[in-house]
Amino acid sequence: MLKATQILVRSIALAACAASIASLSACGQKGPLFLPTDPAAQGRATLPEALGISSPKTPVTAAPVVKPSPLTDSENSAETDAKP
């Protein structure tokens, strides 16, 4: 009768062999990978769009430029007093 450690070691070895055989077999696709450029491919969804995680296509606008406010009289007099 097999002990628990023997069963565990054999199951791990079998799983490792199965994983290596599966990774070596790949998917059967041959040839280089490429991005399709034909006109029929232009309307297809991209992966983020297919997964529903794409952001809405809104134009990106720059943040408004905020001009600094002019110095008040009290701040202006404090600066002139500090200058030698």
Side-chain angles (χ1 to χ4, degrees), residues 5 7 11 33-34 37 58 65 84:
T5 55
I7 294 172
S11 63
L33 297 176
F34 66 95
T37 56
T58 57
V65 177

Side-chain angles (χ1 to χ4, degrees), residues 7 15 18-19 25 33 36 39 47 50 54 58-59 64 68-70 81:
I7 294 172
S25 67
L33 297 176
L47 181 62
S54 63
T58 57
S69 63
D81 292 340

Side-chain angles (χ1 to χ4, degrees), residues 1 10 12 15 17-18 33 35-36 39 41 46 49-50 67-68 73 76-77:
M1 186 118 192
R10 286 186 183 178
I12 290 173
C17 288
L33 297 176
L35 292 173
T46 61
E49 291 172 347
K67 294 182 180 179
D73 288 336
N76 196 8
S77 63

Side-chain angles (χ1 to χ4, degrees), residues 20-76:
S20 64
I21 290 171
S23 66
L24 290 175
S25 67
C27 64
Q29 175 116 9
K30 295 181 181 178
L33 297 176
F34 66 95
L35 292 173
T37 56
D38 57 340
Q42 297 300 322
R44 294 183 189 151
T46 61
L47 181 62
E49 291 172 347
L51 295 176
I53 57 174
S54 63
S55 61
K57 295 184 179 187
T58 57
V60 177
T61 58
V65 177
V66 179
K67 294 182 180 179
S69 63
L71 296 175
T72 62
D73 288 336
S74 61
E75 292 172 341
N76 196 8

